[in-house]
Amino acid sequence: FDRKRTVGGSSGGEAGLLAARGSPMGIGTDIGGSVRIPAHMCGIAALLPTPGRLSGRGMAVARPNDINGQEAIKASAGPMARRVD
Protein backbone atom coordinates (compact mmCIF):
# COMPACT_ATOMS: atom_id res chain seq x y z
CA PHE A 1 0.00 0.00 0.00
CA ASP A 2 1.47 3.34 -1.07
CA ARG A 3 -0.43 6.57 -0.40
CA LYS A 4 1.68 8.33 -3.06
CA ARG A 5 -0.01 6.35 -5.83
CA THR A 6 -3.42 6.77 -7.41
CA VAL A 7 -5.33 4.30 -9.55
CA GLY A 8 -6.33 6.62 -12.42
CA GLY A 9 -8.15 5.44 -15.56
CA SER A 10 -11.23 3.32 -16.07
CA SER A 11 -9.52 0.04 -15.15
CA GLY A 12 -8.16 1.70 -12.02
CA GLY A 13 -10.27 -0.40 -9.66
CA GLU A 14 -8.74 -3.58 -11.03
CA ALA A 15 -5.26 -2.07 -10.85
CA GLY A 16 -5.79 -0.97 -7.26
CA LEU A 17 -7.07 -4.41 -6.27
CA LEU A 18 -4.02 -6.07 -7.83
CA ALA A 19 -1.59 -3.62 -6.24
CA ALA A 20 -3.21 -4.29 -2.84
CA ARG A 21 -2.75 -8.04 -3.43
CA GLY A 22 -6.50 -8.62 -3.50
CA SER A 23 -6.27 -10.75 -6.64
CA PRO A 24 -3.43 -12.52 -8.50
CA MET A 25 -4.55 -11.41 -11.99
CA GLY A 26 -7.21 -9.29 -13.66
CA ILE A 27 -8.46 -8.16 -17.04
CA GLY A 28 -9.19 -4.61 -18.14
CA THR A 29 -10.32 -3.01 -21.37
CA ASP A 30 -8.35 -0.29 -23.11
CA ILE A 31 -8.91 2.18 -25.92
CA GLY A 32 -6.81 5.19 -24.93
CA GLY A 33 -4.75 4.02 -21.98
CA SER A 34 -7.41 2.64 -19.64
CA VAL A 35 -5.27 -0.40 -18.76
CA ARG A 36 -1.78 0.97 -19.24
CA ILE A 37 -2.12 4.19 -17.23
CA PRO A 38 -3.60 2.56 -14.09
CA ALA A 39 -0.94 -0.15 -14.30
CA HIS A 40 1.79 2.46 -14.38
CA MET A 41 0.21 4.49 -11.56
CA CYS A 42 -0.16 1.42 -9.30
CA GLY A 43 3.20 -0.18 -10.08
CA ILE A 44 1.78 -3.33 -11.67
CA ALA A 45 2.18 -4.89 -15.13
CA ALA A 46 -0.38 -4.82 -17.94
CA LEU A 47 -0.36 -5.83 -21.57
CA LEU A 48 -2.46 -4.37 -24.37
CA PRO A 49 -2.98 -6.97 -27.11
CA THR A 50 -3.74 -5.94 -30.66
CA PRO A 51 -7.51 -5.33 -30.95
CA GLY A 52 -9.22 -8.58 -31.94
CA ARG A 53 -6.28 -10.75 -30.83
CA LEU A 54 -8.22 -11.99 -27.79
CA SER A 55 -11.88 -12.86 -28.06
CA GLY A 56 -14.34 -10.32 -26.72
CA ARG A 57 -17.00 -12.99 -26.40
CA GLY A 58 -18.85 -12.68 -23.13
CA MET A 59 -17.85 -9.05 -22.55
CA ALA A 60 -20.85 -6.93 -21.61
CA VAL A 61 -21.98 -4.15 -23.93
CA ALA A 62 -23.21 -1.15 -21.95
CA ARG A 63 -25.53 0.04 -24.72
CA PRO A 64 -29.18 -0.68 -25.43
CA ASN A 65 -29.83 -3.26 -28.16
CA ASP A 66 -26.10 -4.16 -28.30
CA ILE A 67 -25.43 -1.21 -30.63
CA ASN A 68 -21.69 -0.56 -30.67
CA GLY A 69 -20.86 3.10 -31.26
CA GLN A 70 -17.09 2.62 -31.20
CA GLU A 71 -16.18 1.38 -34.68
CA ALA A 72 -13.13 3.45 -35.65
CA ILE A 73 -10.98 2.65 -32.62
CA LYS A 74 -11.47 -0.85 -31.27
CA ALA A 75 -11.21 -1.62 -27.58
CA SER A 76 -8.93 -4.42 -26.50
CA ALA A 77 -9.02 -6.56 -23.35
CA GLY A 78 -5.67 -7.12 -21.71
CA PRO A 79 -4.29 -8.98 -18.70
CA MET A 80 -3.10 -7.16 -15.59
CA ALA A 81 -0.96 -8.60 -12.76
CA ARG A 82 1.56 -7.58 -10.11
CA ARG A 83 4.42 -9.20 -12.02
CA VAL A 84 5.05 -10.58 -15.50
CA ASP A 85 7.14 -13.60 -14.50
Side-chain angles (χ1 to χ4, degrees), residues 1-6:
F1 184 75
D2 186 348
R3 291 185 182 264
K4 295 181 227 162
R5 296 182 190 255
T6 180

Side-chain angles (χ1 to χ4, degrees), residues 37-83:
I37 293 170
H40 170 74
M41 300 296 275
C42 292
I44 65 168
L47 300 174
L48 177 64
T50 302
R53 179 83 172 162
L54 300 177
S55 172
R57 188 172 186 172
M59 291 174 52
V61 177
R63 294 173 188 84
N65 303 320
D66 292 338
I67 297 171
N68 189 353
Q70 189 68 40
E71 295 294 328
I73 302 172
K74 302 287 185 183
S76 182
M80 304 168 75
R82 287 187 303 277
R83 298 171 27 167

